[in-house]
Each structure stands twice: as structure tokens, then as C-alpha cells.
Amino acid sequence: MKTLLYAASAALALAAAPAAAQSTTQARAAAATEQKVAIYAPITIAEVQAAQRAWCNALVAISNENATRGGAAAKRLAGQVLDSAYGYDMGPVLFKPTLTVAPQTFRTTRDGALAYFVGDDRAYPKDRGFALNNWKRCESENAGIVITGNSAISMGNVSIYNDTGALTRVDKTWGYVRGPDGNLRIVLHHSSLPYTAQ
């Protein structure tokens, strides 16, 4: 009788093993599909606006970090912002900052972008650290947003106020795609001062 019970439970265990393996495989496949859906889901206007607010908040946070904890802390924070907001880990980013000149006008690498925001890089001697100008408030206003599936482009103005209340307004174009984590990443960033007629 014991032998019969042992044989029956062994048979049940063997039968259950492939079912468990299949269940695990199905769960992994479902998770992978869910991940793909998240990465390739169409971008929404609300996501673009949220990314713009996050960029503004990050600029102010870097400036505050510099004022309260110093340049090294501001540089660390700026690096974290670049890694989460921009697509440098996905390839070159088309970044033309407001205050750059030839031959370093365009910052397609993370190092170039970091130098622009916080300075302190011998390879970019003209950079003084745009993000370190005691910024206290930043607002983005769109002239338009164009969404094409899982990429988006926005154009408009960004208004930044320093600690004396002085305003700097720039014309801004951003391009976004979804990163591997499903969050928006900046892959195009063009910024310039408004044209003044002579």
C-alpha cells in the first residue's frame, strides 16, 4: 500500500513540474509583453507636460543644491537628472544649449551636457554652469506639441526666474521617446534666446 501511495505521489509531482514550469514561463512572457506595451505605448500630452515640469523642477533643484551644499553636490544631482531625464544611455542626444559657442555648440554626449549645466570641466572651458545661476522658479509654456506614437516633439517658451526675480525667457524645442523603463527621455533639446530685431 505504501509503495502504491509513493508511486501515486511521485506521479503527481512529475505531472505538476511541467505545469509549474509552464506557469512560470507564461508569467515571464506576460511580464515581457507588459514591458513592451509600456515601452511602446503612445505618449500623451499629459506625459510631455509632466516631463517639462520635471525638467524645470530639476533645474531649480540643481541651483538650490549648489547654493546650499556646494558645487560637487550640484554636479552629482545634475548627473542623476541627466541619467533619468535624457537619453544619453540610448545614444547621442541632439542638445543645443542656449549659451554655447563653436566648436562646442552641440552637446551630443553626457559629459558635454553635464559641463553645460554645472561647469567644472577642463574639456569645456567656456562653460560656467547654467544651472548654477540661483534659479528659483521655472515655467514651461507650449506653442504646440506633436505626438507620433511613442515619440513627441514640443515647442514653446521656458521662463526662469532667479533669486532677485529677474526673468530669463528662452525658446525651447524638446523631442521625447520612451526609455527602456517606459518613462520619457529627452533626445532632442534646442534652446535659444528670442530674436531681437535691430
Side-chain angles (χ1 to χ4, degrees):
M1 185 67 163
K2 279 185 185 176
T3 307
L4 187 59
L5 283 172
Y6 176 78
S9 34
L12 284 172
L14 285 171
Q22 186 178 4
S23 172
T24 303
T25 303
Q26 287 171 339
R28 285 186 186 145
T33 301
E34 207 169 295
Q35 173 80 6
K36 257 186 198 173
V37 167
I39 292 171
Y40 294 106
I43 291 173
T44 65
I45 289 174
E47 285 180 300
V48 170
Q49 292 168 334
Q52 292 168 342
R53 283 192 301 275
W55 187 92
C56 273
N57 292 341
L59 180 68
V60 172
I62 294 166
S63 196
N64 287 340
E65 189 79 351
N66 181 62
T68 57
R69 300 182 62 200
K75 192 170 191 175
R76 275 193 302 276
L77 179 57
Q80 293 167 5
V81 169
L82 285 171
D83 292 340
S84 62
Y86 288 77
Y88 285 107
D89 61 340
M90 300 163 63
V93 171
L94 307 180
F95 181 21
K96 190 280 173 191
T98 314
L99 304 174
T100 55
V101 295
Q104 296 181 320
T105 303
F106 304 104
R107 304 303 173 89
T108 57
T109 66
R110 182 186 184 277
D111 286 348
L114 187 61
Y116 178 73
F117 282 118
V118 295
D120 191 34
D121 188 327
R122 289 181 186 174
Y124 298 89
K126 295 183 180 178
D127 288 353
R128 298 287 175 258
F130 177 76
L132 309 182
N133 289 328
N134 295 316
W135 303 121
K136 295 301 177 188
R137 187 159 57 98
C138 175
E139 299 165 354
S140 178
E141 183 180 353
N142 292 300
I145 298 173
V146 175
I147 294 175
T148 310
N150 66 333
S151 66
I153 301 171
S154 68
M155 180 181 283
N157 296 115
V158 169
S159 301
I160 316 167
Y161 301 84
N162 69 11
D163 55 348
T164 68
L167 166 66
T168 298
R169 178 173 285 123
V170 294
D171 298 335
K172 188 83 72 177
T173 300
W174 274 307
Y176 300 94
V177 297
R178 285 200 187 281
D181 57 1
N183 294 322
L184 297 198
R185 297 289 183 84
I186 299 167
V187 292
L188 164 68
H189 178 171
H190 184 281
S191 186
S192 57
L193 292 167
Y195 171 70
T196 305
Q198 298 291 326

